[in-house]
């Protein structure tokens, strides 16, 4: 069995706001993103949601919008038309979100290299979920003192 880890990373500070693991099946990334996005309270206000080219589908972008979020997904213009149109790309926030994607890559790099999730030794989705969420919490605990030092 193959598993995927999914995380929602807060764009300003790079902290992990939500995490989960699923069985890899080709659509797990998009399904997990909708599950995690639906868990954010409506009182959080309008949020943006970013993703790579795999998330640029009409169905997924529509679901993100239905959940009250603005999709800041990288446009996939190869062989088809992007689901992200001018109502999103015309805003400066879209370009900012795309330029901050390195924060997400940094998180997954740490999880694979330092936390040892490149090749998980556990078997079973429940154990992998536990390990992934635990590693994400450890990342946040290491990141918070660095953020506090920057603000001081």
């Amino acid at each position: 069995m193959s598993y995927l880890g999914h995380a929602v990373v807060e764009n300003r500070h790079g902290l992990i706001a939500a995490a989960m693991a699923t069985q890899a099946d080709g659509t797990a990334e998009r399904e997990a993103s909708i599950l995690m996005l639906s868990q954010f309270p409506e009182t959080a206000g309008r949020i943006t949601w970013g993703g790579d080219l795999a998330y640029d589908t009409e169905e997924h972008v529509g679901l993100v919008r239905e959940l009250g979020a603005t999709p800041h997904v990288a446009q996939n213009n190869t062989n088809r038309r992007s689901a992200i149109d001018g109502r999103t790309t015309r805003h400066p926030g879209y370009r900012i979100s795309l330029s901050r994607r390195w924060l997400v890559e940094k998180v997954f790099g740490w999880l694979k290299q330092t936390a040892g999730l490149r090749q998980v030794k556990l078997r079973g989705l429940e154990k992998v979920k536990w390990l992934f969420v635990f590693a994400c919490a450890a990342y946040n605990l290491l990141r918070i003192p660095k953020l506090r030092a920057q603000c001081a």
Side-chain angles (χ1 to χ4, degrees):
M1 289 284 157
S2 295
Y3 304 104
L4 288 173
H6 314 281
V8 175
V9 178
E10 193 273 330
N11 208 12
R12 194 155 158 260
H13 298 108
L15 293 172
I16 299 170
M20 68 182 296
T22 62
Q23 196 168 346
D25 68 2
T27 61
E29 289 175 314
R30 291 191 294 269
E31 292 167 2
S33 72
I34 295 300
L35 274 173
M36 289 190 290
L37 189 56
S38 67
Q39 294 174 0
F40 283 90
E42 291 181 22
T43 57
R46 188 78 174 172
I47 61 172
T48 59
W49 182 90
D52 60 20
L53 299 174
Y55 298 92
D56 186 12
T57 66
E58 289 288 335
E59 178 186 17
H60 190 264
V61 168
L63 287 171
V64 169
R65 287 188 173 128
E66 283 178 28
L67 290 170
T70 303
H72 284 188
V73 176
Q75 289 182 297
N76 186 357
N77 291 320
T78 57
N79 300 328
R80 66 178 177 81
R81 194 171 152 198
S82 174
I84 301 296
D85 54 25
R87 64 182 152 169
T88 300
T89 59
R90 66 185 161 114
H91 296 285
Y94 178 74
R95 287 181 291 285
I96 292 169
S97 288
L98 293 182
S99 71
R100 304 285 290 172
R101 286 194 50 227
W102 64 271
L103 283 170
V104 177
E105 301 305 327
K106 179 180 175 180
V107 168
F108 279 98
W110 186 89
L111 290 170
K112 288 179 180 179
Q113 189 69 30
T114 307
L117 295 180
R118 183 174 305 281
Q119 188 169 9
V120 177
K121 305 283 190 266
L122 299 175
R123 298 294 174 245
L125 182 57
E126 287 306 311
K127 290 178 182 176
V128 173
K129 281 181 186 179
W130 180 88
L131 180 62
F132 185 74
V133 172
F134 183 79
C136 288
Y139 177 84
N140 280 351
L141 289 173
L142 291 172
R143 181 100 177 100
I144 289 170
K146 293 176 185 176
L147 290 173
R148 292 186 72 167
Q150 289 174 358
C151 293

